Amino acid sequence: MTPTPRAKKALLNPRSGVPAAGAALALVGGVLLWSPAGRADAASDRARGAGFTVVAAGDIAERCTADDSECEHPRTAALVRQINPAFVLTMGDNQYDDARLKDFTRYYDTSWGTFKSKTHPAPGNHETYDPAGELAGYKAYFGSVAFPDGKSYYSFDQDNWHFVALDSNSLDSTQLNWLKADLAANSGKCVAAYWHHPLFSSGEHGNDPVSRPVWKILYDAKAELVLNGHDHHYERFAPQDPDGDADPAGLVELLGGMGGANPYKIEEVQPHSEKRLTDTFGVVKLNFTDTGFSWDLVGVDGDTKDSSPSYECH
């Protein structure tokens, strides 16, 4: 089968001149090996070391504290403290049930609030339930970092990576046009985007088509990584396009809704889903280099529950 133009372009990474998503080379025992499916040899890639480390999770703070033996968000926060990442990403539903400011202060702030100064949050649907107004408590708690320029979406850079936080509660034309302009202005960097509602999920909420327009924009911009929450489980997908077709030059989706909220069941396994875990609380430890990324799921017992392949930027 003849490769698509996108797949052909993905064979070489224009930033480094080495194979990228869809093809990779590794020197093993003096022999040059070809690695398909958008991932380099995991051992050799990980040996390069991470340029920086990020912790990510969604669906975090139930209305409980460390005094409650069944409360999980203090345990996942302890992992963040131990890992000590460059910064923290949250993929929505940071505070349950209605995300009121007093609940953020009483619960989230006692655990994940420790890292507030280096947290880049995204809102979830529970942040819209606040009786004081949609996102009122979320905005009051996180302040300008969550609402730069008065918007509930924003972007920032770290080394050769561009990160985009979106508000999937209101993916209107204004936000989508902003995303297109933001990506166009930051071409040349690897791109990771995160928001709450996943386009693909094997969990109780399932696939959410509200995110398809975002996927199309990110795919066209040759972005690398999508992080979501909403379903309370862990899941990773092989690279795919916005229509759910396997594509070695496509986006890698990571669903990380295991930050502390009650777990959901796996309902219908989706195509290209490579790993699913429920009843597992923890955080995703992401390792970024100038040319690629990988991650580990770390459980509250300190054990690594899953490790991704290593991926090269497009």
PDB file of all heavy atoms in Angstrom, residues 38 91 106-107 143 154 165-166 198 215 229 234 236 243 276:
ATOM      1  N   GLY A  38       5.565   4.041  14.619  1.00  0.00           N
ATOM      2  CA  GLY A  38       5.689   5.321  15.288  1.00  0.00           C
ATOM      3  C   GLY A  38       6.413   5.306  16.599  1.00  0.00           C
ATOM      4  O   GLY A  38       6.249   6.172  17.422  1.00  0.00           O
ATOM      5  N   MET A  91      -6.490  17.399  33.929  1.00  0.00           N
ATOM      6  CA  MET A  91      -7.383  17.252  32.781  1.00  0.00           C
ATOM      7  C   MET A  91      -8.852  17.334  33.187  1.00  0.00           C
ATOM      8  O   MET A  91      -9.690  16.582  32.707  1.00  0.00           O
ATOM      9  CB  MET A  91      -7.100  15.938  32.064  1.00  0.00           C
ATOM     10  CG  MET A  91      -5.784  15.898  31.317  1.00  0.00           C
ATOM     11  SD  MET A  91      -4.420  15.309  32.327  1.00  0.00           S
ATOM     12  CE  MET A  91      -4.689  13.532  32.283  1.00  0.00           C
ATOM     13  N   ARG A 106     -11.374  23.430  50.784  1.00  0.00           N
ATOM     14  CA  ARG A 106     -11.493  22.420  51.840  1.00  0.00           C
ATOM     15  C   ARG A 106     -10.864  21.087  51.448  1.00  0.00           C
ATOM     16  O   ARG A 106     -10.379  20.352  52.315  1.00  0.00           O
ATOM     17  CB  ARG A 106     -12.962  22.220  52.183  1.00  0.00           C
ATOM     18  CG  ARG A 106     -13.219  21.335  53.399  1.00  0.00           C
ATOM     19  CD  ARG A 106     -14.697  21.294  53.704  1.00  0.00           C
ATOM     20  NE  ARG A 106     -15.223  22.636  53.995  1.00  0.00           N
ATOM     21  CZ  ARG A 106     -16.526  22.927  54.076  1.00  0.00           C
ATOM     22  NH1 ARG A 106     -17.431  21.975  53.864  1.00  0.00           N
ATOM     23  NH2 ARG A 106     -16.910  24.154  54.344  1.00  0.00           N
ATOM     24  N   TYR A 107     -10.849  20.763  50.149  1.00  0.00           N
ATOM     25  CA  TYR A 107     -10.414  19.429  49.728  1.00  0.00           C
ATOM     26  C   TYR A 107      -9.211  19.473  48.785  1.00  0.00           C
ATOM     27  O   TYR A 107      -8.118  19.056  49.151  1.00  0.00           O
ATOM     28  CB  TYR A 107     -11.595  18.683  49.091  1.00  0.00           C
ATOM     29  CG  TYR A 107     -12.788  18.620  50.001  1.00  0.00           C
ATOM     30  CD1 TYR A 107     -13.954  19.310  49.696  1.00  0.00           C
ATOM     31  CD2 TYR A 107     -12.738  17.897  51.193  1.00  0.00           C
ATOM     32  CE1 TYR A 107     -15.055  19.273  50.542  1.00  0.00           C
ATOM     33  CE2 TYR A 107     -13.835  17.855  52.053  1.00  0.00           C
ATOM     34  CZ  TYR A 107     -14.988  18.543  51.722  1.00  0.00           C
ATOM     35  OH  TYR A 107     -16.059  18.515  52.572  1.00  0.00           O
ATOM     36  N   GLY A 143      -7.109  31.243  39.564  1.00  0.00           N
ATOM     37  CA  GLY A 143      -6.730  32.595  39.199  1.00  0.00           C
ATOM     38  C   GLY A 143      -6.284  32.737  37.752  1.00  0.00           C
ATOM     39  O   GLY A 143      -6.720  32.004  36.866  1.00  0.00           O
ATOM     40  N   TYR A 154      -5.675  28.256  27.019  1.00  0.00           N
ATOM     41  CA  TYR A 154      -4.410  28.976  26.933  1.00  0.00           C
ATOM     42  C   TYR A 154      -3.326  28.024  26.452  1.00  0.00           C
ATOM     43  O   TYR A 154      -3.556  26.816  26.278  1.00  0.00           O
ATOM     44  CB  TYR A 154      -4.036  29.541  28.310  1.00  0.00           C
ATOM     45  CG  TYR A 154      -3.930  28.490  29.396  1.00  0.00           C
ATOM     46  CD1 TYR A 154      -2.718  27.892  29.724  1.00  0.00           C
ATOM     47  CD2 TYR A 154      -5.059  28.088  30.115  1.00  0.00           C
ATOM     48  CE1 TYR A 154      -2.618  26.920  30.717  1.00  0.00           C
ATOM     49  CE2 TYR A 154      -4.986  27.118  31.111  1.00  0.00           C
ATOM     50  CZ  TYR A 154      -3.763  26.541  31.403  1.00  0.00           C
ATOM     51  OH  TYR A 154      -3.677  25.582  32.382  1.00  0.00           O
ATOM     52  N   ALA A 165      -3.876  23.988  26.698  1.00  0.00           N
ATOM     53  CA  ALA A 165      -4.963  23.608  27.599  1.00  0.00           C
ATOM     54  C   ALA A 165      -6.274  24.140  27.028  1.00  0.00           C
ATOM     55  O   ALA A 165      -6.393  25.341  26.752  1.00  0.00           O
ATOM     56  CB  ALA A 165      -4.721  24.195  28.987  1.00  0.00           C
ATOM     57  N   LEU A 166      -7.253  23.247  26.846  1.00  0.00           N
ATOM     58  CA  LEU A 166      -8.526  23.630  26.235  1.00  0.00           C
ATOM     59  C   LEU A 166      -9.685  23.419  27.201  1.00  0.00           C
ATOM     60  O   LEU A 166      -9.587  22.648  28.159  1.00  0.00           O
ATOM     61  CB  LEU A 166      -8.764  22.812  24.963  1.00  0.00           C
ATOM     62  CG  LEU A 166      -7.731  23.003  23.855  1.00  0.00           C
ATOM     63  CD1 LEU A 166      -8.002  22.041  22.705  1.00  0.00           C
ATOM     64  CD2 LEU A 166      -7.722  24.446  23.351  1.00  0.00           C
ATOM     65  N   PRO A 198     -12.694  12.982  26.242  1.00  0.00           N
ATOM     66  CA  PRO A 198     -11.903  12.261  25.238  1.00  0.00           C
ATOM     67  C   PRO A 198     -12.718  11.929  23.991  1.00  0.00           C
ATOM     68  O   PRO A 198     -13.905  11.581  24.080  1.00  0.00           O
ATOM     69  CB  PRO A 198     -11.502  10.974  25.969  1.00  0.00           C
ATOM     70  CG  PRO A 198     -12.630  10.733  26.923  1.00  0.00           C
ATOM     71  CD  PRO A 198     -13.114  12.101  27.353  1.00  0.00           C
ATOM     72  N   TRP A 215      -9.396  17.441  17.417  1.00  0.00           N
ATOM     73  CA  TRP A 215      -8.492  16.435  16.861  1.00  0.00           C
ATOM     74  C   TRP A 215      -8.118  16.764  15.423  1.00  0.00           C
ATOM     75  O   TRP A 215      -6.962  16.608  15.026  1.00  0.00           O
ATOM     76  CB  TRP A 215      -9.158  15.050  16.915  1.00  0.00           C
ATOM     77  CG  TRP A 215      -8.783  14.243  18.107  1.00  0.00           C
ATOM     78  CD1 TRP A 215      -9.113  14.484  19.399  1.00  0.00           C
ATOM     79  CD2 TRP A 215      -7.980  13.051  18.114  1.00  0.00           C
ATOM     80  NE1 TRP A 215      -8.573  13.512  20.218  1.00  0.00           N
ATOM     81  CE2 TRP A 215      -7.891  12.628  19.456  1.00  0.00           C
ATOM     82  CE3 TRP A 215      -7.348  12.308  17.119  1.00  0.00           C
ATOM     83  CZ2 TRP A 215      -7.176  11.489  19.828  1.00  0.00           C
ATOM     84  CZ3 TRP A 215      -6.647  11.168  17.484  1.00  0.00           C
ATOM     85  CH2 TRP A 215      -6.555  10.774  18.827  1.00  0.00           C
ATOM     86  N   GLY A 229      -9.394  13.305  30.486  1.00  0.00           N
ATOM     87  CA  GLY A 229      -9.919  12.668  31.687  1.00  0.00           C
ATOM     88  C   GLY A 229     -11.335  12.206  31.427  1.00  0.00           C
ATOM     89  O   GLY A 229     -11.616  11.551  30.443  1.00  0.00           O
ATOM     90  N   TYR A 234      -7.594   4.527  33.408  1.00  0.00           N
ATOM     91  CA  TYR A 234      -6.380   4.806  32.630  1.00  0.00           C
ATOM     92  C   TYR A 234      -6.471   4.041  31.321  1.00  0.00           C
ATOM     93  O   TYR A 234      -6.864   2.863  31.297  1.00  0.00           O
ATOM     94  CB  TYR A 234      -5.145   4.350  33.407  1.00  0.00           C
ATOM     95  CG  TYR A 234      -3.875   4.285  32.584  1.00  0.00           C
ATOM     96  CD1 TYR A 234      -3.087   5.406  32.400  1.00  0.00           C
ATOM     97  CD2 TYR A 234      -3.470   3.085  31.991  1.00  0.00           C
ATOM     98  CE1 TYR A 234      -1.918   5.339  31.650  1.00  0.00           C
ATOM     99  CE2 TYR A 234      -2.306   3.013  31.249  1.00  0.00           C
ATOM    100  CZ  TYR A 234      -1.534   4.136  31.079  1.00  0.00           C
ATOM    101  OH  TYR A 234      -0.375   4.056  30.330  1.00  0.00           O
ATOM    102  N   ARG A 236      -4.449   3.991  27.201  1.00  0.00           N
ATOM    103  CA  ARG A 236      -3.600   4.583  26.160  1.00  0.00           C
ATOM    104  C   ARG A 236      -3.918   3.946  24.820  1.00  0.00           C
ATOM    105  O   ARG A 236      -4.276   2.766  24.738  1.00  0.00           O
ATOM    106  CB  ARG A 236      -2.119   4.438  26.493  1.00  0.00           C
ATOM    107  CG  ARG A 236      -1.583   3.039  26.648  1.00  0.00           C
ATOM    108  CD  ARG A 236      -0.059   3.077  26.872  1.00  0.00           C
ATOM    109  NE  ARG A 236       0.458   1.809  27.340  1.00  0.00           N
ATOM    110  CZ  ARG A 236       0.833   0.808  26.546  1.00  0.00           C
ATOM    111  NH1 ARG A 236       0.739   0.939  25.237  1.00  0.00           N
ATOM    112  NH2 ARG A 236       1.315  -0.313  27.065  1.00  0.00           N
ATOM    113  N   ASP A 243     -10.702  10.202  12.626  1.00  0.00           N
ATOM    114  CA  ASP A 243     -11.775   9.265  12.308  1.00  0.00           C
ATOM    115  C   ASP A 243     -11.594   7.907  12.975  1.00  0.00           C
ATOM    116  O   ASP A 243     -12.402   6.994  12.761  1.00  0.00           O
ATOM    117  CB  ASP A 243     -11.871   9.080  10.788  1.00  0.00           C
ATOM    118  CG  ASP A 243     -12.257  10.370  10.079  1.00  0.00           C
ATOM    119  OD1 ASP A 243     -13.115  11.109  10.618  1.00  0.00           O
ATOM    120  OD2 ASP A 243     -11.692  10.651   9.008  1.00  0.00           O
ATOM    121  N   ARG A 276      -5.653  -0.758  29.239  1.00  0.00           N
ATOM    122  CA  ARG A 276      -6.723  -0.183  30.041  1.00  0.00           C
ATOM    123  C   ARG A 276      -6.578  -0.694  31.466  1.00  0.00           C
ATOM    124  O   ARG A 276      -6.384  -1.888  31.690  1.00  0.00           O
ATOM    125  CB  ARG A 276      -8.096  -0.599  29.495  1.00  0.00           C
ATOM    126  CG  ARG A 276      -8.360  -0.130  28.077  1.00  0.00           C
ATOM    127  CD  ARG A 276      -9.442  -0.948  27.417  1.00  0.00           C
ATOM    128  NE  ARG A 276      -9.119  -2.375  27.386  1.00  0.00           N
ATOM    129  CZ  ARG A 276      -8.286  -2.947  26.522  1.00  0.00           C
ATOM    130  NH1 ARG A 276      -7.680  -2.204  25.607  1.00  0.00           N
ATOM    131  NH2 ARG A 276      -8.049  -4.241  26.576  1.00  0.00           N
TER     132      ARG A 276
END
